[in-house]
Amino acid sequence: MKNYYQEKLKTSAKSFHKNNRGERFSDGLIIRHQYEEANLAKLSWWDDVGFILNDYLVNISWIHPRMAFKDQAEDEAHKRVAHLDTGVNDLFSQSEPNYVKTGKSRKKIISHTIKEPLLSSGWAAAFDAAYAEIIKTTDLQTTPFIKSEWTASGRFVEICAPIEVRNEQDLIVIANLTRKLLKRETTLEIEFPKYTYTKSDWNMENQS
């Protein structure tokens, strides 16, 4: 049975691509970053790219497993210091609104002025300590994954794969891999059999 909501999104996505002339393509890809001065020895963390598949736009958000590993540690650190969060992460709770007149008796907020430094509460220090402890003691691990969802303007894909992206050629590898995955011509298990990023990998990469 068809999911009519998903079918509606697909139709909208194809219509959006057909009528959209704002994106600039380079060899069939939407490349949003410049890599002329990229350090080829530097570890890569994330990137994005777009391409057309079956008359709709595919927007890819790629991360390396080391980024997923870091995200896991940060998520856990947030949980550990959640009891200290009394609005310190809400910038507007520590700010004063700045108004501009829009009439004789009307005004609207155009900006906010922070009343005190966000770090003064000690929350950031507690978070950093929790993060460091998690990285040191917790056996976190990440594996490649792909997630896909339809939007009214195209298909959005999140992919985590152990590929270094330092230039446009590397980005093409990500795009081609994603295309094959969406067309079910391969799987992440086939491409990266039994791959797992662990604390050992993190420690090896972050040795001083």
Side-chain angles (χ1 to χ4, degrees):
M1 180 180 296
K2 288 186 177 182
N3 184 317
Y4 289 101
Y5 176 70
Q6 293 295 315
E7 292 301 316
K8 183 178 180 180
L9 287 177
K10 291 180 184 179
T11 300
S12 176
K14 291 184 178 182
S15 176
F16 177 86
H17 168 60
K18 181 179 180 180
N19 295 288
N20 180 32
R21 296 294 180 267
E23 297 284 10
R24 294 185 178 181
F25 289 83
S26 175
D27 295 326
L29 299 179
I30 300 173
I31 298 176
R32 301 182 174 92
H33 303 142
Q34 294 183 343
Y35 303 91
E36 288 83 353
E37 299 180 359
N39 182 354
L40 297 182
K42 185 177 180 179
L43 299 178
S44 55
W45 296 79
W46 64 272
D47 213 323
D48 56 75
V49 64
F51 64 87
I52 303 303
L53 177 65
N54 296 335
D55 298 325
Y56 59 82
L57 177 63
V58 177
N59 278 308
I60 304 169
S61 175
W62 163 83
I63 61 173
H64 191 279
R66 70 175 63 93
M67 184 73 198
F69 182 93
K70 184 174 184 292
D71 288 343
Q72 280 191 44
E74 289 181 344
D75 288 345
E76 181 60 30
H78 275 289
K79 294 177 183 178
R80 293 191 183 185
V81 300
H83 63 288
L84 301 176
D85 188 354
T86 57
V88 68
N89 287 321
D90 181 1
L91 291 176
F92 293 114
S93 72
Q94 298 191 34
S95 66
E96 295 179 347
N98 300 314
Y99 297 93
V100 64
K101 287 186 178 181
T102 58
K104 289 185 178 180
S105 60
R106 296 193 304 273
K107 58 183 179 180
K108 67 177 181 178
I109 298 174
I110 58 170
S111 63
H112 286 77
T113 299
I114 304 301
K115 293 184 291 185
E116 58 180 305
L118 184 62
L119 302 184
S120 64
S121 66
W123 180 93
F127 173 84
D128 289 344
Y131 173 80
E133 179 68 16
I134 291 166
I135 287 291
K136 182 179 179 181
T137 64
T138 306
D139 290 327
L140 300 176
Q141 59 181 27
T142 60
T143 57
F145 66 79
I146 183 170
K147 300 176 182 178
S148 173
E149 66 175 339
W150 286 97
T151 70
S153 59
R155 195 170 182 179
F156 179 70
V157 177
E158 294 181 85
I159 182 170
C160 174
I163 300 171
E164 298 294 347
V165 178
R166 302 186 179 107
N167 51 50
E168 291 189 10
Q169 292 302 312
D170 295 333
L171 205 58
I172 291 173
V173 173
I174 293 293
N176 289 340
L177 171 62
T178 304
R179 183 182 286 107
K180 290 174 63 178
L181 290 167
L182 294 179
K183 295 172 68 175
R184 300 185 179 182
E185 295 175 352
T186 189
T187 66
L188 288 172
E189 178 59 33
I190 291 174
E191 298 294 328
F192 312 103
K194 303 186 184 303
Y195 177 90
T196 302
Y197 186 96
T198 67
K199 184 170 64 175
S200 296
D201 298 305
W202 178 270
N203 290 337
M204 181 178 64
E205 292 179 349
N206 288 275
Q207 289 178 348
S208 57

